[in-house]
Amino acid sequence: MLTNLAFTVFEAVYGFLANSVSLLGDAGHNLSDVLGLLLAWGAAYLASRKANEIYSYGYRRSTILAAIINALVLVFASALIAFESLSKFMRPEPVQEIAIIVVASIGIVVNAGTALLFMKGSKEDLNLRGAFLHLAYDAVISAGVVIGGILILFTGALWIDPLVGIMIVGIILAGTWGLLRDSVNL
């Protein structure tokens, strides 16, 4: 988790320096994932506690609450990314393509590596599934940012950066909808 947090800060700094909404969007999504991981681990800890006089059923359902909060944080992050992307789409600005490509490539490695840690239990536990999905989507999103950076480098088309930001929003919302629906149903 510390690796993901450090990378998120690194990516946000380079997002500002590179003037890239796609990197900033990826950093915002990564930050929501770090917060989601904290919620997932906290909920897993609570779920392991035994029932007491006040909570006669224990804390097992706290994992469902954590999944709902994770989904809502992703929806909020998506709204911020969409707003910034639409703004830059209407007024494209130069970006530093090489920085985008390098930083997002590091993101693929960091996010895919962390996602693998959650893959084993993700089929049985909704909370672990949420954490796994967050990280897996981050790796895919970082790959999209790399491709966007390469396209900008070779074409000079500045509208690609905010388009990638909008695509990030679509990916996040598509993946989050099922988690939000399943956790609310529970």
Side-chain angles (χ1 to χ4, degrees):
M1 185 174 70
L2 289 176
T3 303
N4 287 66
L5 181 59
F7 175 71
T8 298
V9 171
F10 173 78
E11 187 174 37
V13 167
Y14 272 92
F16 281 112
L17 293 175
N19 195 30
S20 171
V21 71
S22 60
L23 270 183
L24 287 173
D26 196 19
H29 186 236
N30 283 334
L31 179 60
S32 72
D33 287 344
V34 170
L35 296 175
L37 286 173
L38 285 172
L39 283 170
W41 284 342
Y45 168 75
L46 286 175
S48 70
R49 295 185 64 196
K50 295 186 189 269
N52 59 35
E53 291 176 14
I54 296 173
Y55 299 103
S56 59
Y57 290 101
Y59 298 86
R60 292 179 44 96
R61 296 294 184 190
S62 62
T63 59
I64 296 168
L65 182 59
I68 290 171
I69 293 170
N70 274 339
L72 292 176
V73 166
L74 280 172
V75 169
F76 178 73
S78 295
L80 293 176
I81 296 166
F83 177 78
E84 187 63 26
S85 294
L86 290 173
S87 173
K88 293 245 181 179
F89 195 64
M90 293 182 185
R91 290 183 312 300
E93 298 175 9
V95 296
Q96 295 179 11
E97 303 89 347
I98 300 298
I100 293 170
I101 296 165
V102 170
V103 172
S105 295
I106 295 168
I108 294 170
V109 173
V110 170
N111 292 313
T114 309
L116 291 175
L117 298 174
F118 289 93
M119 187 175 7
K120 183 179 180 183
S122 67
K123 291 184 181 173
E124 296 84 30
D125 186 321
L126 187 61
N127 188 36
L128 290 179
R129 180 176 146 207
F132 170 74
L133 285 174
H134 273 57
L135 294 161
Y137 285 129
D138 273 351
V140 171
I141 288 168
S142 292
V145 173
V146 168
I147 293 167
I150 291 169
L151 289 172
I152 296 167
L153 180 65
F154 287 109
T155 67
L158 298 177
W159 55 267
I160 293 173
D161 186 57
L163 178 64
V164 171
I166 295 293
M167 292 169 68
I168 289 171
V169 169
I171 291 169
I172 293 169
L173 292 178
T176 301
W177 179 250
L179 177 64
L180 184 59
R181 182 194 63 233
D182 291 348
S183 50
V184 168
N185 284 341
L186 284 173

